[in-house]
């Protein structure tokens, strides 16, 4: 029905299933070897996550081209403008509104962390917004299972939101996601990044 976004990861489309007629989002990653590995990893981790603050992944397929079927998030209308993610949401927010959003994001991360899944790339563009202003974490392509990891994908990191130990030593654990969430809170309330 329409293209929702495009970037280094590939493309995301709003589509209507012919069989049942429901609206979903379809993610088509770039087809190089790295993207194929990320797709397989994303499927493995994302399928285990079922929470109101995490975008639901329905299924994934290798053919006819690799793609992921996921929950379509409609976006939040503000002053007649459709805002699909937290990156586009007007800032600064009053502290009460910012804390409400961060609390919901924290609940989604708590669920992922309870399954020992670390996102590793929490940033405003990875927080989609529903019509009721419910934040939902998406893009689990860099997710990692385990308490600590020294394998990081430096090129895929968003440096402004990365934890210092994530950049300097490649150390990733649950606190990495918490640090990134703190950067988002700072940005929501001040309209700027701390570093």
């Amino acid at each position: 029905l329409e293209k929702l976004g495009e970037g280094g990861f590939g493309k995301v489309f709003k589509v209507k299933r012919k069989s049942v007629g429901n609206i979903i989002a379809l993610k088509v990653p770039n087809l190089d070897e790295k993207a194929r590995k990320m797709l397989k990893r994303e499927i493995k981790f994302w399928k285990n996550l079922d929470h109101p603050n995490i975008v639901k992944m329905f299924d994934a397929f290798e053919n006819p081209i690799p793609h992921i079927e996921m929950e379509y998030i409609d976006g939040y209308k503000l002053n007649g403008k459709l805002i699909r993610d937290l990156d586009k949401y007007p800032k600064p927010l009053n502290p009460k509104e910012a804390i409400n959003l961060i609390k919901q994001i924290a609940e989604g991360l708590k669920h992922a962390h309870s399954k020992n899944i670390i996102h590793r790339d929490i940033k405003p563009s990875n927080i989609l917004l529903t019509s009721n202003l419910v934040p939902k974490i998406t893009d689990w392509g860099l997710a990692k299972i385990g308490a600590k990891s020294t394998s990081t994908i430096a090129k895929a990191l968003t440096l402004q939101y990365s934890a210092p130990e994530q950049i300097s030593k490649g150390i990733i654990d649950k606190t990495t996601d918490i640090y990134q969430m703190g950067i988002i809170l700072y940005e929501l309330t001040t309209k700027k990044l701390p570093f």
Side-chain angles (χ1 to χ4, degrees), residues 69-143:
E69 294 181 356
M70 57 191 173
E71 176 183 13
Y72 170 70
I73 307 301
D74 44 1
Y76 181 72
K77 280 208 172 178
L78 183 67
N79 301 325
K81 185 179 176 186
L82 186 64
I83 301 167
R84 295 199 181 276
D85 60 51
L86 206 49
D87 190 43
K88 308 282 189 303
Y89 197 78
K91 301 161 192 76
L93 281 67
N94 69 59
K96 187 176 180 179
E97 187 180 9
I99 289 169
N100 179 49
L101 288 168
I102 289 296
K103 184 178 176 186
Q104 293 177 75
I105 296 165
E107 289 296 327
L109 286 177
K110 181 180 174 183
H111 174 74
H113 291 173
S114 75
K115 295 183 174 291
N116 217 19
I117 297 173
I118 303 160
H119 189 285
R120 307 196 314 175
D121 195 28
I122 297 294
K123 60 185 177 183
S125 61
N126 282 342
I127 311 295
L128 302 184
L129 300 171
T130 71
S131 58
N132 297 325
L133 198 57
V134 173
K136 289 184 170 256
I137 306 166
T138 192
D139 199 4
W140 293 83
L142 292 180

Side-chain angles (χ1 to χ4, degrees), residues 12-192:
V12 180
F13 299 92
K14 176 183 177 181
V15 300
K16 184 176 183 178
R17 276 196 181 119
K18 287 184 177 181
S19 56
V20 287
N22 62 326
I23 303 293
I24 62 168
L26 190 87
K27 182 176 181 178
V28 181
N30 290 331
L31 300 176
D32 63 11
E33 190 58 34
K34 180 180 170 185
R36 285 183 186 270
K37 286 179 183 175
M38 287 181 116
L39 175 67
K40 288 177 183 174
R41 185 171 55 230
E42 190 167 359
I43 294 163
K44 181 180 173 184
F45 299 146
W46 204 341
K47 268 195 164 179
N48 290 322
L49 300 174
D50 187 13
H51 190 274
N53 298 112
I54 295 176
V55 174
K56 180 73 181 149
M57 198 257 282
F58 299 125
D59 215 336
F61 303 91
E62 293 258 356
N63 295 308
I65 58 171
H67 64 281
I68 298 173
E69 294 181 356
M70 57 191 173
E71 176 183 13
Y72 170 70
I73 307 301
D74 44 1
Y76 181 72
K77 280 208 172 178
L78 183 67
N79 301 325
K81 185 179 176 186
L82 186 64
I83 301 167
R84 295 199 181 276
D85 60 51
L86 206 49
D87 190 43
K88 308 282 189 303
Y89 197 78
K91 301 161 192 76
L93 281 67
N94 69 59
K96 187 176 180 179
E97 187 180 9
I99 289 169
N100 179 49
L101 288 168
I102 289 296
K103 184 178 176 186
Q104 293 177 75
I105 296 165
E107 289 296 327
L109 286 177
K110 181 180 174 183
H111 174 74
H113 291 173
S114 75
K115 295 183 174 291
N116 217 19
I117 297 173
I118 303 160
H119 189 285
R120 307 196 314 175
D121 195 28
I122 297 294
K123 60 185 177 183
S125 61
N126 282 342
I127 311 295
L128 302 184
L129 300 171
T130 71
S131 58
N132 297 325
L133 198 57
V134 173
K136 289 184 170 256
I137 306 166
T138 192
D139 199 4
W140 293 83
L142 292 180
K144 177 77 181 165
I145 287 186
K148 284 198 175 182
S149 168
T150 54
S151 64
T152 185
I153 305 166
K155 287 182 183 175
L157 296 177
T158 307
L159 292 178
Q160 298 93 324
Y161 299 93
S162 296
E165 66 277 10
Q166 185 179 15
I167 298 168
S168 64
K169 299 176 187 169
I171 296 173
I172 311 290
D173 63 18
K174 294 173 185 177
T175 62
T176 304
D177 289 347
I178 296 167
Y179 177 91
Q180 293 172 341
M181 189 174 56
I183 297 288
I184 293 173
L185 176 60
Y186 185 93
E187 183 180 7
L188 289 177
T189 55
T190 66
K191 197 180 176 177
K192 59 185 179 182

